Amino acid sequence: MLRYWCRSCGLPSRTTPCETCGKVIQATSVSNIWESTRRAVSDGVRFFFLLKVALISVVSVFLVLLTLEFILGHSLSGVADFLTKSSMVATMFVLFVAMLAIGLLLLLLQGNETQQVLIEPKGILKRTWLYNPSRLQCWARFLSYPSKSGGDSHAVKRSGDDVWLLAHSEYLAFSDVSRYRLSPRQRKIKLYRPYAFLFMSLAIPGEEYDDAIAMLLSKMKRVPNG
């Protein structure tokens, strides 16, 4: 939904006089805000990241062992035996599957999450919140469980008995975007910084898609798509 971004208090407002601080907001300070809830394991970006990490880790270990075999054995025949007669290749495959299974289990244990996205005049703020998280959810994300007695940091918001825990926050300035990739059918946009590194992936709700994409593209007129 469209909102006005107040530079004085750093919060969105529905009206040009800021609802929070009362100061006048320029009409050009329009922002777009939305939120969506989903399970962490359904995020395709995280799955492919997990796949890459597991594959790179296994290949790295395999190459180190292969190098050590060559150095200690002082012969190419030993390396050939290492590749054909030993069970190392099968062991590396089992290790890859195990790492993938553990990663998927952690994503499954992370449960539901709510993503809030704010497109303000200079960049994009993306936050991931957990609603009334369990200890298991926090452990799966390597986060501290919020205490019931209070005294929490700014990453914890309370409303009565309800608790919102900030699991992750990232900000990307439009001036830092090197390229983007649009997926209209999936209603997603991927933002890269630098050119080959995926910095932020946004899943946009259907009712917000047209306004959000129009605002994003107007801010990135010189950024290549692809």
Side-chain angles (χ1 to χ4, degrees), residues 29 99 112 118 132-134 151 179:
S29 298
M99 292 180 64
N112 291 335
L118 166 63
N132 290 331
S134 64
R179 72 181 175 103

Side-chain angles (χ1 to χ4, degrees), residues 119 124 174 179-182 184 188-191 204 209-225:
I119 305 175
I124 308 167
F174 290 120
R179 72 181 175 103
Y180 68 91
R181 178 176 295 175
L182 207 57
K188 290 183 178 181
I189 184 171
K190 296 180 179 180
L191 305 167
I204 308 173
Y209 183 79
D210 291 337
D211 290 336
I213 291 299
M215 181 174 290
L216 284 169
L217 296 185
S218 68
K219 302 292 185 180
M220 302 185 298
K221 294 180 180 179
R222 298 183 179 180
V223 179
N225 177 20

Side-chain angles (χ1 to χ4, degrees), residues 105-173:
L105 178 61
L106 287 176
L107 288 178
L108 184 64
L109 293 177
Q110 288 177 9
N112 291 335
E113 62 185 21
T114 298
Q115 288 189 351
Q116 292 180 337
V117 178
L118 166 63
I119 305 175
E120 54 100 0
K122 292 186 177 181
I124 308 167
L125 175 64
K126 179 182 176 183
R127 289 178 174 177
T128 301
W129 294 88
L130 304 181
Y131 176 65
N132 290 331
S134 64
R135 293 183 183 274
L136 191 58
Q137 281 180 286
C138 293
W139 173 80
R141 294 175 182 264
F142 305 100
L143 298 174
S144 300
Y145 181 74
S147 61
K148 295 183 179 180
S149 58
D152 299 302
S153 66
H154 68 281
V156 178
K157 306 295 182 184
R158 297 181 182 272
S159 178
D161 294 332
D162 295 330
V163 175
W164 288 90
L165 175 63
L166 181 61
H168 183 68
S169 178
E170 54 188 332
Y171 182 83
L172 178 61

Side-chain angles (χ1 to χ4, degrees), residues 78-100:
V79 174
D81 291 339
F82 178 78
L83 292 173
T84 58
K85 297 182 180 180
S86 71
S87 60
M88 187 53 61
V89 175
T91 302
M92 291 297 102
F93 178 75
V94 172
L95 178 61
F96 171 75
V97 173
M99 292 180 64
L100 200 59

